[in-house]
Amino acid sequence: MGVLPVPAEVRAILLDIEGTTTPIAFVQETLFPYIKDNVKEYLRAHWEEEECQRDVGLLRKQAQEDSSLDGAVPIPVESGSGEEELERVIQAVVDNVHWQMSLDRKTTALKQLQGHMWRAAYATGHVKGEIFEDVVPAIRKWREAGMKVYIYSSGSVEAQKLLFGYSTEGDILELFDGHFDTKIGPKVESESYRRIAASIGCATNNILFLTDVPREANAAEEADTHVAVVIRPGNAGLTDDEKSYYSLISSFTELFLPSST
């Protein structure tokens, strides 16, 4: 793969997380199983709290929108008639979360609950965000060259900040100028990248987006954003056409900034 020159007009680097800054295995084998294994216990412990009730309310609203989908799990409204009914409602929330996760749903309702659960896990030291070793030194170098660095992930902004705030490299939140999640739009829609550019006050062609997912790269490219596809251990393989079409890097150190000459 070698060295990839960054186009001279690029002023900001936009980073995906899973498979780009962070091993897919960390997300698939640590973060998601933590949710599945602990969601019932978390709900029981926090049920009376306002934040938890807001999370459940969002999940219930999402469940209503999903009611026509095959296998959808409704969440009944609690009427306050005792412990047995409470357990039934909690179990419905658990079943709904498991169902959404089994389909790899990216709904805001699911991501919000997951973010709050991960916050508790990071704060107690049960989880530490895993970062590829080339990431932090490269970002420091980019910033020294005057580059802005942003995150765009399907995980909530809160979940992103937890991962980088409680990482294997320590608290590295200072390295990022901002965070975006699917509230700005899906990563596979070109309009999302136009919104991000408008939000950070630049043109789409002033941005370089690094991701491991060709569909996301394609959407960004349609918005006239520069892209490079990141090859990391554990990432999904690329087709021969994708390999020949996209600029590829296997490490952030392979990016060559014009201003670093």
Side-chain angles (χ1 to χ4, degrees):
M1 270 159 265
V3 172
L4 178 66
V6 174
E9 69 262 32
V10 168
R11 299 285 177 269
I13 297 179
L14 184 64
L15 303 173
D16 170 48
I17 293 179
E18 185 181 353
T20 299
T21 66
T22 298
I24 282 179
F26 170 72
V27 179
Q28 300 298 341
E29 297 170 17
T30 299
L31 286 186
F32 287 155
Y34 180 86
I35 300 296
K36 288 178 180 173
D37 295 344
N38 293 280
V39 62
K40 181 179 276 190
E41 182 185 336
Y42 176 87
L43 289 168
R44 283 174 173 161
H46 299 277
W47 190 261
E48 300 299 330
E49 296 169 18
E50 188 179 329
E51 180 180 83
C52 186
Q53 283 301 304
R54 282 199 303 270
D55 292 346
V56 171
L58 264 187
L59 285 164
R60 185 177 285 119
K61 186 178 174 205
Q62 184 65 50
Q64 290 166 349
E65 292 173 15
D66 293 340
S67 59
S68 62
L69 299 180
D70 189 37
V73 180
I75 300 174
V77 177
E78 193 185 353
S79 64
S81 60
E83 198 68 30
E84 194 174 313
E85 190 213 29
L86 174 60
E87 276 300 307
R88 187 170 58 87
V89 175
I90 287 176
Q91 188 59 52
V93 178
V94 172
D95 293 344
N96 179 279
V97 166
H98 284 181
W99 172 73
Q100 288 202 62
M101 291 181 71
S102 73
L103 298 176
D104 196 27
R105 300 286 298 283
K106 309 287 188 187
T107 64
T108 298
L110 176 63
K111 293 297 176 187
Q112 183 166 298
L113 174 68
Q114 288 173 330
H116 293 152
M117 287 187 63
W118 287 325
R119 180 181 63 199
Y122 282 114
T124 55
H126 283 103
V127 173
K128 271 190 186 296
E130 198 172 326
I131 312 290
F132 286 114
E133 63 182 17
D134 58 278
V135 169
V136 170
I139 294 176
R140 290 196 195 284
K141 196 173 177 183
W142 300 342
R143 290 178 64 87
E144 284 168 13
M147 200 68 68
K148 299 282 191 182
V149 183
Y150 298 87
I151 296 291
Y152 181 28
S153 172
S154 56
S156 69
V157 166
E158 180 168 25
Q160 297 171 29
K161 289 181 176 179
L162 289 167
L163 191 154
F164 294 116
Y166 295 90
S167 85
T168 49
E169 304 289 325
D171 182 350
I172 57 170
L173 281 172
E174 65 179 19
L175 297 181
F176 305 108
D177 294 281
H179 298 258
F180 299 96
D181 58 20
T182 51
K183 285 181 181 174
I184 203 141
K187 295 173 76 182
V188 295
E189 291 183 6
S190 58
E191 187 57 33
S192 303
Y193 299 89
R194 296 186 186 98
R195 290 188 193 119
I196 288 172
S199 174
I200 64 180
C202 68
T204 50
N205 71 346
N206 296 142
I207 297 172
L208 170 64
F209 178 48
L210 304 184
T211 178
D212 62 310
V213 182
R215 282 183 69 211
E216 296 174 3
N218 186 54
E221 208 171 48
E222 283 179 5
D224 200 26
T225 297
H226 297 283
V227 299
V229 173
V230 184
I231 312 293
R232 298 283 199 184
N235 286 8
L238 301 177
T239 65
D240 288 341
D241 284 348
E242 288 165 347
K243 286 176 185 173
S244 61
Y245 179 77
Y246 290 109
S247 298
L248 307 176
I249 60 170
S250 60
S251 166
F252 285 6
T253 59
E254 292 169 15
L255 287 184
F256 178 75
L257 272 54
S259 55
S260 63
T261 55

